[in-house]
């Protein structure tokens, strides 16, 4: 412990002289107590002839198949009566991209949007706080002089390299004017690498694919369309 | 007490200072920064911001005790006295300071997100250190003029201004041009360019540096970069022979701005606008490429060309047909090694060229000198002078070229156009140009070697008064550009002369010790930079050249 304190010495007065807490697991393991996990060296007789386990595997697959089959047919009887939504459908797979899950958590962190002022100008004042906070260095801003002297500064360019982004949400937290938000949208696929850089226009105008407007953040004012 | 110095204690540390020193300066001497806005070591005291209030107790000799202070007093106004006791951070002082901060922030717009000063703003720093309280104001803040141009280079934002009067004192006492003044009263007071005037002196940008907040910002730096993305490198301005000490703020490949660095006896705290704009010239520089135009030897790499030049120099040993002209942009170390090499080879026709004349501004009594080149004094002191016995100076060299007597001419450094025209140079059989700037001669010279510029190499320059300042490498040099000193070491090796120094650092050391050399790389005065916020702290402290 003593040496550990010494090592952290420089940080001691970081927060008004408070000593930072030590890591909780410190000193819990001593040498010789290390537990190792490994597979047993030899297989049992049943394992060595494989067949029982192959059959067991087939059985499991068949069980799932039959269960899905039955629930599917049950669901079909509902569907023909026009009551498809009332019963559980067979397999839990969904048919992406024709079908998308609507049940992401409302605080899931996904693709960014830039918010707008009432006159469709970006809310962003190009303060670079997000770019400073971003641990992935994926936000690139070029600031310019806004024609309206009351606004003064705005982003001429605002690019996010979405393929570098780690969706930590720091940008959103750093923003002093609520100009950048992470939506719950996770659909970031594309065929071209260049299109993984989202520019200002795109970030200002794209619409989340499936999420209800008020679903972006419950209680927030809706985005201007 | 009739002595010239007084001894007092600052937070228990005793310090001795000359009589008449202000308490705040004495505290700086003791290594204690008393927070301040309106105080600036280069300006007369004003004492209006009250940020520097401290508990100051005078010594009563009759009662033989310290008189308890009735109220805190401003450390920038009170003279240090014998036996005085100063406490700079007692709980009462801290509380008083927090109240001062609260007053200063009453009408401040807190628009740090769009303020170029953010990150090096004293108001921000001191708020975090001394206040940290939310505003209690319920009314709307007072609105004042924003975006007011003060001349072409400065923008004024009245809402951010804390009326410390540093800028007006600068124009009154430093430039003595009296352009700025504070008009109106109370919460309507603002700084204005006084009637009928224009804010256009040669030192206007300094007001943006000394403005403790973002009320005065530079148009040149406007929205260019947040200051915390900048890297800082100590450098020296080459704009004239004053050699203002500077900090080059850059991002590794590009200079974003140039700021003055405190250097007593040279530029004190200031620098001129032209010096700040020098980086634009640097960015626009056409850079030469290593070239050799000798029949049968065309092409070649930089090192093979260097070897060729070195051997050629050795061929002209003791010859009357070789001459060397040096630009006043050479560094002291390079000049020293070059003059050593030429001394060994007994090439005596050697002189410093006129150099740059384009940027010449009228000399004034603040900083500007009439020589827009940095190191004429240093080059001459380091030995770039014609040989005492048979050497020719620049005019005689020109005459000799005219007469066709010079076969080999080495041009070191840029800006020789004022001495030599291409027509004259065509009379020389072999012209070797070692420079950082591509020009007409680079297209015709027998050999061209690219050099690094002042921003890309290390060295020292000596100003017209003999003060030596060190500049350091700030930018990545372009591919192929050679360091002047390394190049000279290679030339020495190729010419068969043993270099007296192993490295640049070694050369600097030898320069200092060499009793025969006229160059004394002496630093006088301490480098301190207490004025800027945390960003600049790495540049503080005494620096040996
Ligand atoms: S979510 Fe994190 S990584 Fe992604 S842009 Fe924002 S700050 Fe950068
Ligand atoms: S933090 Fe907000 S206002 Fe600042 S640059 Fe980023 S998005 Fe714009
Ligand atoms: S503009 Fe800046 S330097 Fe001038 S009075 Fe206002 S705060 Fe002080
Ligand atoms: S006075 Fe001379 S050395 Fe100083 S900044 Fe101006 S040009 Fe540069
Ligand atoms: S610094 Fe002393 S009153 Fe302003």
């Amino acid at each position: 412990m003593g040496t550990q304190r010494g090592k952290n010495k420089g940080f001691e007065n970081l927060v008004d002289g408070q000593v930072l807490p030590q890591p909780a697991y410190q000193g819990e393991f001593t040498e010789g107590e290390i537990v190792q996990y490994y597979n047993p060296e030899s297989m049992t007789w049943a394992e060595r002839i494989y067949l029982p386990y192959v059959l067991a595997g087939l059985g499991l697959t068949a069980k799932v198949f039959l269960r899905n089959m039955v629930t599917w047919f049950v669901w079909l009887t509902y569907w023909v009566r026009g009551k498809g939504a009332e019963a559980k459908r067979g397999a839990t797979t969904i048919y992406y991209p024709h079908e998308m899950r609507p049940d992401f958590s409302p605080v899931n962190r996904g693709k960014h949007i830039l918010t707008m002022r009432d006159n469709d100008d970006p809310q962003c004042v190009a303060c670079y706080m997000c770019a400073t906070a971003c641990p992935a260095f994926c936000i690139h801003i070029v600031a310019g002089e806004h024609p309206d002297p009351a606004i003064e500064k705005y982003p001429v360019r605002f690019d996010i390299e979405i393929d570098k982004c780690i969706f930590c949400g720091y940008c959103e937290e750093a923003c002093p004017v609520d100009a950048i938000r992470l939506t719950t949208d996770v659909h970031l696929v594309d065929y071209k690498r260049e299109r993984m850089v989202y520019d200002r226009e795109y970030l200002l105008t794209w619409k989340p694919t499936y999420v209800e407007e008020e679903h972006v953040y419950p209680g927030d004012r809706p985005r201007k369309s | 007490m009739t002595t010239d110095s007084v001894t007092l204690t600052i937070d228990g540390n005793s310090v001795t200072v000359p009589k008449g020193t202000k308490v705040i300066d004495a505290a700086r001497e003791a290594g204690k920064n008393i927070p301040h806005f309106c105080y600036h070591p280069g300006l007369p005291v004003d004492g209006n911001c009250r940020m520097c209030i401290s508990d100051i107790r005078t010594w009563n000799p009759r009662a033989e005790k310290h008189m308890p202070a009735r109220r805190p007093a401003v450390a920038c106004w009170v003279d240090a006295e014998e036996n005085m006791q100063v406490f700079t951070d007692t709980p009462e002082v801290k509380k008083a300071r927090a109240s001062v901060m609260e007053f200063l922030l009453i009408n401040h717009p807190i628009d740090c997100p769009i303020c170029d000063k953010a990150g090096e703003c004293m108001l921000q720093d001191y708020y975090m250190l001394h206040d940290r309280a939310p505003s209690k104001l319920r009314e709307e803040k007072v609105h004042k003029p924003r975006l007011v141009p003060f001349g072409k280079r400065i923008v004024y934002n009245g809402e951010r201004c804390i009326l410390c009067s540093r800028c007006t004192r600068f124009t009154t006492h430093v430039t003595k041009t009296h352009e700025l003044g504070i008009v109106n009263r109370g919460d309507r007071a603002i700084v204005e360019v006084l009637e009928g005037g224009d804010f256009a002196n040669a030192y206007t940008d300094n007001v943006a540096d000394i403005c403790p907040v973002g009320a005065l910002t530079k148009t040149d730096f406007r929205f260019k970069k947040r200051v915390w993305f900048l890297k800082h490198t100590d450098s020296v301005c080459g704009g004239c022979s004053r050699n203002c000490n500077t900090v080059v703020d850059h991002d590794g490949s590009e200079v974003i701005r140039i700021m003055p660095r405190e250097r007593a006896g040279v530029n004190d705290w200031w620098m001129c606008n032209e010096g700040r704009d020098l980086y634009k010239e640097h960015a626009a520089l056409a850079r030469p490429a290593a070239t050799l135009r000798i029949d049968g030897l065309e092409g070649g790499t930089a090192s093979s060309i260097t070897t060729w030049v070195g051997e050629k120099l050795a061929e002209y040993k003791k010859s009357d047909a070789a001459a060397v002209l040096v630009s006043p942009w050479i560094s002291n170390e390079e000049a020293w090694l070059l003059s050593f090499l030429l001394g060994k080879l007994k090439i005596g026709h050697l002189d410093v060229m006129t150099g740059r004349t384009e940027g010449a501004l009228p000399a004034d009594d603040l900083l500007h000198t009439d020589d827009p080149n940095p190191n004429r004094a240093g080059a001459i002191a380091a030995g770039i002078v014609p040989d005492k016995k048979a050497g020719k100076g620049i005019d005689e060299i020109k005459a000799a070229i005219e007469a066709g007597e010079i076969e080999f001419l080495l041009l070191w450094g840029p800006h020789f156009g004022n001495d030599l025209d291409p027509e004259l140079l065509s009379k020389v059989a072999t012209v070797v140009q070692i420079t950082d700037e591509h020009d007409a001669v680079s297209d015709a010279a027998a050999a061209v070697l690219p050099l690094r510029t002042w921003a890309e190499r290390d060295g020292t320059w000596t100003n017209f008064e003999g003060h030596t300042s060190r500049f350091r490498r700030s930018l990545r040099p372009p591919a192929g550009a050679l360091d002047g000193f390394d190049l000279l070491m290679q030339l020495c090796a190729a010419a068969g002369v043993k270099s007296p120094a192993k490295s640049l650092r070694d050369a600097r050391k030898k320069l200092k010790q060499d009793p025969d050399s006229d160059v004394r790389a002496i630093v006088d005065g301490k480098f301190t930079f207490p004025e800027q916020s945390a960003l600049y702290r790495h540049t503080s402290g005494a620096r040996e050249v």
Side-chain angles (χ1 to χ4, degrees):
Chain A
M1 273 310 271
T3 54
Q4 196 66 32
R5 281 285 294 275
K7 235 163 83 188
N8 281 346
K9 213 166 172 198
F11 298 102
E12 272 178 12
N13 31 17
L14 246 189
V15 188
D16 288 340
Q18 287 170 22
V19 182
L20 293 183
Q22 299 293 328
Y25 50 81
Q26 206 182 47
E28 281 206 76
F29 296 108
T30 53
E31 245 176 292
E33 264 185 70
I34 299 165
V35 187
Q36 289 188 344
Y37 297 94
Y38 49 88
N39 290 329
E41 276 163 14
S42 54
M43 292 191 280
T44 63
W45 180 82
E47 283 166 350
R48 246 184 275 178
I49 60 166
Y50 292 109
L51 208 55
Y53 282 89
V54 171
L55 291 177
L58 277 176
L60 183 67
T61 312
K63 196 177 98 188
V64 173
F65 171 72
L66 288 172
R67 191 187 64 200
N68 285 348
M69 208 51 177
V70 171
T71 41
W72 171 259
F73 277 115
V74 173
W75 176 77
L76 215 57
T77 60
Y78 277 83
W79 182 76
V80 291
R81 284 179 288 140
K83 294 180 181 174
E86 282 175 26
K88 188 176 185 307
R89 201 168 60 178
T92 47
T93 37
I94 58 161
Y95 302 96
Y96 188 84
H98 311 293
E99 210 179 69
M100 290 184 191
R101 287 179 61 165
D103 57 345
F104 282 113
S105 156
V107 292
N108 184 55
R109 294 193 296 258
K111 211 162 145 180
H112 308 66
I113 51 167
L114 284 182
T115 58
M116 284 178 181
R117 292 169 197 266
D118 288 342
N119 59 356
D120 286 7
D121 263 354
Q123 179 84 50
C124 170
V125 293
C127 69
Y128 290 73
M129 289 301 144
C130 49
T132 307
C134 178
F137 303 111
C138 64
I139 304 181
H140 307 283
I141 305 168
V142 178
E145 187 91 42
H146 198 276
D148 179 359
I151 297 175
E152 232 178 298
K153 197 180 180 188
Y154 83 117
V156 183
R157 287 188 60 183
F158 193 110
D159 296 340
I160 296 182
E161 290 176 78
I162 203 74
D163 47 355
K164 276 196 194 168
C165 172
I166 57 166
F167 303 102
C168 59
Y170 283 7
C171 47
E172 183 180 38
E173 267 191 59
C175 182
V177 293
D178 188 22
I180 191 166
R181 291 189 197 164
L182 270 63
T183 65
T184 54
D185 201 316
V186 293
H187 310 289
L188 303 155
V189 280
D190 213 313
Y191 293 107
K192 283 241 163 64
R193 191 171 290 226
E194 304 84 73
R195 289 213 289 261
M196 298 307 278
V197 179
Y198 293 167
D199 63 3
R200 196 192 75 162
E201 292 322 309
Y202 181 73
L203 287 166
L204 280 168
T205 50
W206 78 273
K207 294 272 184 320
T209 18
Y210 60 93
V211 190
E212 298 285 305
E213 289 280 295
E214 64 271 21
H215 197 86
V216 176
Y217 274 108
D220 263 355
R221 74 197 138 130
R223 250 183 119 214
K224 231 180 116 33
S225 53
Chain B
M1 285 277 162
T2 46
T3 50
D4 292 340
S5 60
V6 291
T7 304
L8 67 163
T9 62
I10 313 276
D11 290 337
N13 304 319
S14 135
V15 60
T16 307
V17 290
K19 215 171 196 164
T21 309
K22 301 289 176 196
V23 169
I24 197 167
D25 289 317
R28 271 177 76 189
E29 212 46 45
K32 190 100 200 172
N33 179 37
I34 298 183
H36 55 271
F37 289 111
C38 68
Y39 161 82
H40 185 284
L43 299 173
V45 180
D46 201 58
N48 62 49
C49 74
R50 319 312 280 180
M51 190 60 192
C52 62
I53 44 178
S54 308
D55 188 349
I56 300 176
R57 301 180 182 182
T58 49
W59 174 252
N60 184 335
R62 225 170 313 150
E64 299 223 328
K65 63 171 187 186
H66 287 102
M67 301 309 285
R70 282 197 210 101
R71 60 187 83 82
V74 281
C76 68
W77 187 274
V78 178
D79 284 343
E81 282 172 24
E82 186 66 30
N83 236 341
M84 195 178 234
Q85 263 184 344
V86 181
F87 299 97
T88 66
D89 43 13
T90 59
E92 297 84 55
V93 169
K94 279 185 180 159
K95 206 172 143 215
R97 239 171 236 157
S99 315
V100 170
M101 282 305 297
E102 200 177 338
F103 275 126
L104 287 174
L105 286 165
I106 283 182
N107 283 316
H108 193 83
I110 328 261
D111 54 354
C112 309
I114 55 167
C115 176
D116 277 333
K117 197 80 172 189
E120 52 181 8
C121 170
M122 292 165 80
L123 202 59
Q124 274 186 337
D125 289 1
Y126 288 152
Y127 174 77
M128 296 311 284
L129 282 169
H130 301 286
D131 186 5
R132 290 219 197 181
S135 170
K136 292 187 198 130
L137 192 76
R138 301 267 175 82
E139 290 86 42
E140 198 181 336
K141 298 196 174 195
V142 172
H143 292 291
K144 290 184 184 179
R146 304 157 66 239
L147 293 177
V148 186
F150 277 11
K152 286 201 180 63
R153 300 180 62 100
I154 300 288
V155 184
Y156 175 68
N157 183 327
E159 293 183 352
R160 292 183 194 146
C161 177
I162 59 164
L163 298 165
C164 70
S165 87
R166 271 185 175 191
C167 53
T168 60
R169 276 178 284 148
F170 178 81
T171 56
T172 311
H173 299 280
V174 180
T175 59
K176 304 195 173 64
T177 42
H178 306 272
E179 289 109 338
L180 300 183
I182 295 181
V183 298
N184 300 343
R185 283 185 298 169
D187 62 10
R188 307 234 172 99
I190 50 166
V191 178
E192 251 182 22
V193 179
L194 296 181
E195 241 168 273
D198 187 16
F199 192 42
N201 67 57
Y203 300 94
T204 53
D205 276 16
N206 288 303
V207 298
D209 297 344
I210 58 173
C211 179
V213 296
L216 297 169
T217 49
K218 295 169 211 163
T219 47
D220 190 40
F221 182 61
R222 193 165 165 81
F223 302 161
K224 248 197 193 164
K225 202 139 196 129
R226 299 316 304 242
V227 293
W228 52 86
F229 294 128
L230 297 171
K231 299 190 182 84
H232 317 286
T233 310
D234 292 357
S235 189
V236 178
C237 176
C240 76
S241 56
R242 171 71 62 179
N243 291 4
C244 292
N245 286 212
T246 58
V247 180
V248 170
D249 287 351
H250 59 95
D251 61 7
S253 55
E254 198 189 346
V255 180
I256 310 293
R257 65 174 185 184
I258 298 180
M259 299 277 278
R261 176 160 56 103
E262 180 181 341
R263 172 73 191 271
V266 177
N267 58 319
D268 296 332
W269 299 270
W270 325 117
M271 73 182 288
C272 73
N273 296 347
E274 281 68 26
R276 289 173 202 264
D277 287 347
L278 221 57
Y279 76 90
K280 293 180 189 156
E281 221 172 274
H282 183 271
L285 214 58
R287 308 301 291 267
T291 326
L292 190 59
R293 295 193 189 84
I294 299 291
D295 289 339
L297 283 173
E298 287 91 351
T301 60
S303 72
S304 72
I305 298 171
T306 313
T307 313
W308 181 84
V309 174
E311 284 164 0
K312 204 79 187 163
L313 267 174
E315 268 175 40
Y316 282 98
K317 188 167 178 174
K318 293 185 186 165
S319 156
D320 217 23
V324 177
L325 288 175
V326 178
S327 147
W329 286 70
I330 194 169
S331 77
N332 289 337
E333 293 83 353
E334 289 159 7
W336 176 70
L337 190 54
L338 180 61
S339 77
F340 176 87
L341 171 65
L342 297 176
K344 282 275 178 234
L345 296 176
K346 307 244 169 2
I347 296 176
H349 305 333
L350 166 70
D351 209 347
V352 184
M353 296 182 278
T354 310
R356 197 168 79 122
T357 50
E358 305 85 65
L361 285 155
D364 57 32
D365 52 7
L366 187 53
L367 294 176
H368 267 310
T369 67
D370 48 13
D371 179 8
N373 297 286
N375 199 27
R376 190 181 307 281
I380 291 171
I384 305 291
V385 283
D387 186 67
K388 283 194 194 77
K389 282 179 224 137
K392 292 191 168 98
I394 179 138
D395 296 326
E396 292 153 309
I397 293 175
K398 272 199 264 185
I401 295 175
E402 192 71 48
E405 288 166 14
I406 303 289
E407 290 165 24
F408 181 90
L409 179 65
L410 176 69
L411 298 170
W412 184 285
H415 308 297
F416 57 85
N418 289 307
D419 294 312
L420 305 162
D421 49 35
E423 209 177 302
L424 195 61
L425 284 175
S426 64
K427 296 195 177 158
V428 183
T430 316
V431 176
V432 175
Q433 194 196 18
I434 301 177
T435 181
D436 54 26
E437 191 179 11
H438 185 99
D439 49 35
V441 173
S442 315
D443 291 331
V448 180
L449 282 170
L451 215 54
R452 296 185 186 170
T453 61
W454 55 269
E456 294 158 3
R457 69 185 206 272
D458 271 5
T460 58
W461 282 333
T462 299
N463 83 349
F464 71 117
E465 291 172 331
H467 297 290
T468 303
S469 317
R470 170 149 178 208
F471 54 94
R472 284 155 199 267
R473 176 182 143 163
S474 357
L475 305 183
R476 269 190 297 279
L482 306 166
D483 183 80
F485 193 82
D486 290 349
L487 178 60
L488 276 164
M489 296 280 277
Q490 286 169 27
L491 282 182
C492 282
V497 172
K498 192 171 172 298
S499 160
K502 288 194 283 299
S503 62
L504 185 68
R505 176 186 280 225
D506 193 23
R508 196 172 295 133
K509 219 164 88 192
K510 293 237 164 63
L511 258 181
K512 258 197 220 180
Q513 293 161 351
D514 188 354
D516 297 331
S517 158
D518 289 337
V519 179
R520 291 281 183 279
I522 300 164
V523 188
D524 55 343
K526 252 193 321 187
F527 283 110
T528 47
F529 219 92
E531 271 319 294
Q532 300 294 335
S533 67
L535 276 181
Y536 282 104
R537 270 180 208 140
H538 81 286
T539 60
S540 65
R543 278 271 166 73
E544 271 291 297
V545 166

